[in-house]
Amino acid sequence: MTAVTAPARPNLTGALSAAARTGLAAWAIVALLVAALTVAEPGGFWAAANLANVLTATVVLGLVALGQHVVVLTGGIDLSVGSTATLSALLTAMLIDGYPIRTIPAILAMLALGAAIGAAHGLIVSRTRIPAFVVTLSTFYLIQGVAFLVSTTPAGQVTRALAAVGMRRFGPFPLALAVLAAAVLVVGVLLHRTRFGRHVHAVGGDAAAARSAGVPVRRTITLAFTIAGTLAAAAGVMLAARATIGSPTAGQGLELSAITVVVVGGASLLGGRASLAGTLGGVTLLALVESSFTLLQLPATASDLIRGVVILAAAALFVPRSTGD
């Protein structure tokens, strides 16, 4: 007599892991949060001003997270991106100081500064045995210290044109969102349509095997950190555009937020796996959480608590885990 085999039950853990790898999980949480905020404050949440605030909040974090995404793919981490953004924001405003003719040169100088900082990180990490965590933790303090040496108080002033980029909106869509969209396009093409992108995934998967296969590991790591530094500097320029002045504390906390959204988006901190869609979903999730405090008039003292709960819940449900003991 032939035994009848029962249909296999869906593997929930596998489905959640697959959702995380594709970035679907982060967007699922975003959809749930949007539904909850719609029920709580239907008129306030869908107001053009509130949507613009949410989208504006994604720009700076999104730029920094994109750079972190590339570095994490190589198996590294960059804890200095917040300090780089801070220094860039401060110097942008001080160099421009209200003179329109200085705007473009100052922005280009900041992007070059960010690229140089990132390249230095990449060279140190790729040519020594010092972990990226240690290298960038030290420069986190070093760059922040330089910012305080430059000025301990807000200084400088951007032009009206640059301020318009940071604050002007068309309905619910801020003009600054175009900057993030352009960065997403560039990073997406680099990671998924170029040899550099294949090298990044290979180095993150197994650096020794990649080196044996002829992948230029040192150059790949250096370029990854250079991209992260450049995007962090771009985030600093956008911080200055939004505030219209430079602040020596403008980018504090961005490094942890960037790591958070990359992990919530399904990335492995060991390298080799990260979803660009998931990272963007994590950015949107964090922006929604931040904006909900103002929308629901929640006490500011509860912000870290609630944000931590949301992030922990998202990670517990969707971040891929090993099935081994």
Side-chain angles (χ1 to χ4, degrees), residues 84-112:
T84 301
T86 295
L87 182 60
S88 175
L90 180 61
L91 292 179
T92 295
M94 293 183 69
L95 290 174
I96 294 175
D97 203 23
Y99 291 91
I101 196 173
R102 299 179 181 177
T103 303
I104 299 301
I107 292 174
L108 293 177
M110 291 306 98
L111 295 179

Side-chain angles (χ1 to χ4, degrees), residues 203-283:
V203 170
D206 189 329
R211 185 178 289 107
S212 299
V215 173
V217 174
R218 289 181 176 177
R219 185 172 66 188
T220 300
I221 293 174
T222 301
L223 286 175
F225 276 95
T226 301
I227 291 171
T230 304
L231 288 172
V237 173
M238 296 309 301
L239 281 171
R242 282 169 47 183
T244 71
I245 59 174
S247 170
T249 60
Q252 285 187 350
L254 275 175
E255 58 285 325
L256 295 181
S257 295
I259 295 169
T260 296
V261 300
V262 172
V263 172
V264 170
S268 167
L269 289 179
L270 298 178
R273 187 191 68 233
S275 165
L276 189 57
T279 294
L280 295 176
V283 170

